[in-house]
Amino acid sequence: MNFSSLLRVLIVTFILCVTGFVNSAPIHFIIDSDSFKTFFENDSEPTNMHEATYQLIFNEIKMIPQISLIPHLRMKHFLDSTQATCTFYHLKTPERTNRYIFSYPTDIFLGVKLYQHKSSKPIDERFLDNEGRLLSVSNFFNDKTNDANLLLMSGKSYGFELDQQIKEINPISKIMISGESPNKAFLGMFLKKRVDYIIYYPTVFLHFPEEAKTLRSYPIKGSRPYMFGRIMCNNTATSQDFITRVNQVLKKLYSSDEFLNAILDFTPRAEHEHVKEIIRTRFITETLQQG
């Protein structure tokens, strides 16, 4: 940590002590992304939507989160502990809702697509609908004429509907990856053509414009066109207080230019009007419904 970052930590810590936000039961923040952890440690400029929106949130709360890098498969162990524990940009699924508590939306995941290399044979039209969407992920990979493989991150959710399809794929067609920073290895394996297909978010390829030109993508029928990332915490008194504070901040941020720009700066331009409408309707509607 450089001197300016250390000074910032000391100043914010002083403010927190004065305002009473610091208590005897601190929150354990965990993440499986080394780059996200490093971003907050170095007080850097945002390089993606997650960093941009969470920077706004924590600036408003006047907190610098001390984040632990945890392998994705180990995160559940910490979230199921009695210590107040939270993680970032997680989808709110029925299974998770039964175990954890969530903030209002913090960012937007545009609908995932199935990606392949243009050097590979395009997917046969019998697996596609009239709009070019893949009819079924499980039917495609389970077809006896298809010997392609699909790379997946262990424990990752793509939303309930698509998760159910993925479960039905024959294990022989699935390659699972895990580790301390699986996102980097995941994308690296695909771009180096070590696997045939991945399911991923279009916004990721904003950072790889040249590589994106070599890829072919297919929307997936039944997959939601967008999903919301949120802060997800275990259900303790301390984490409940934290989520309440975050939600208060988000209510304020949703109508600000800063929050809108944090989203749009890392969204394909063709999707800008669509995303603006999502923020105006779904984000704000949820805060009104939940109070």
Side-chain angles (χ1 to χ4, degrees):
M1 181 179 294
N2 57 38
F3 177 75
S4 61
S5 296
L6 177 60
L7 182 61
R8 181 167 170 257
V9 170
L10 293 174
I11 292 173
V12 173
T13 301
F14 172 76
I15 293 172
L16 295 177
C17 290
V18 171
T19 59
F21 197 88
V22 172
N23 54 49
S24 59
I27 296 172
H28 186 198
F29 293 105
I30 60 176
I31 196 65
D32 63 354
S33 169
D34 183 52
S35 60
F36 188 84
K37 178 178 184 292
T38 302
F39 166 74
F40 277 100
E41 289 177 342
N42 295 338
D43 192 23
S44 310
E45 287 297 313
T47 61
N48 58 54
M49 187 188 300
H50 306 315
E51 294 171 357
T53 57
Y54 281 103
Q55 184 180 64
L56 291 175
I57 292 167
F58 281 104
N59 282 349
E60 286 290 327
I61 295 176
K62 296 182 174 61
M63 172 190 282
I64 300 175
Q66 303 302 301
I67 303 171
S68 299
L69 183 64
I70 303 294
H72 191 82
L73 292 179
R74 290 280 295 161
M75 293 176 75
K76 184 177 181 297
H77 169 77
F78 289 92
L79 286 163
D80 289 345
S81 70
T82 57
Q83 180 183 358
T85 305
C86 298
T87 188
F88 308 97
Y89 51 85
H90 269 53
L91 301 182
K92 186 177 181 180
T93 66
E95 181 180 0
R96 289 173 176 173
T97 303
N98 291 333
R99 303 178 66 91
Y100 309 116
I101 59 175
F102 291 83
S103 71
Y104 294 149
T106 55
D107 42 51
I108 299 173
F109 295 91
L110 293 179
V112 295
K113 296 182 179 182
L114 181 71
Y115 285 88
Q116 67 169 182
H117 294 277
K118 287 182 178 179
S119 57
S120 301
K121 182 180 177 181
I123 293 178
D124 192 287
E125 290 185 358
R126 65 192 174 96
F127 294 108
L128 309 175
D129 66 9
N130 293 334
E131 298 178 26
R133 297 177 298 181
L134 188 67
L135 289 166
S136 168
V137 171
S138 55
N139 287 349
F140 172 65
F141 283 99
N142 288 338
D143 188 272
K144 63 182 180 181
T145 65
N146 184 9
D147 60 357
N149 54 52
L150 174 65
L151 181 66
L152 297 164
M153 278 188 275
S154 298
K156 184 175 181 60
S157 173
Y158 298 97
F160 179 76
E161 300 87 350
L162 191 50
D163 287 349
Q164 296 307 112
Q165 286 194 42
I166 290 172
K167 287 179 181 178
E168 296 173 2
I169 297 175
N170 190 323
I172 198 171
S173 298
K174 294 188 284 191
I175 299 175
M176 311 303 296
I177 188 172
S178 60
E180 287 194 352
S181 189
N183 288 282
K184 185 184 298 184
F186 178 82
L187 193 58
M189 284 182 66
F190 176 65
L191 293 179
K192 292 176 182 178
K193 298 186 178 182
R194 294 177 180 172
V195 293
D196 300 315
Y197 290 89
I198 60 169
I199 295 173
Y200 222 37
Y201 299 96
T203 51
V204 171
F205 293 102
L206 289 173
H207 300 285
F208 303 93
E210 293 305 311
E211 291 86 346
K213 295 175 184 177
T214 70
L215 305 178
R216 186 184 294 120
S217 65
Y218 299 88
I220 303 169
K221 187 174 182 178
S223 177
R224 285 179 285 175
Y226 58 86
M227 293 170 282
F228 299 147
R230 306 166 189 264
I231 295 176
M232 182 175 83
C233 303
N234 58 357
N235 197 352
T236 70
T238 301
S239 53
Q240 286 175 5
D241 289 344
F242 173 70
I243 289 293
T244 297
R245 179 68 180 118
V246 168
N247 285 344
Q248 291 171 345
V249 164
L250 285 169
K251 283 184 182 181
K252 173 183 175 182
L253 286 174
Y254 286 164
S255 59
S256 70
D257 290 338
E258 290 82 0
F259 186 82
L260 180 62
N261 291 334
I263 297 286
L264 296 182
D265 284 349
F266 302 100
T267 300
R269 186 167 295 277
E271 300 286 347
H272 278 198
E273 290 306 314
H274 181 211
V275 168
K276 287 179 184 178
E277 184 62 22
I278 292 171
I279 294 173
R280 283 193 295 263
T281 56
R282 289 294 303 280
F283 274 42
I284 295 175
T285 298
E286 179 166 333
T287 64
L288 292 175
Q289 288 175 341
Q290 296 188 22

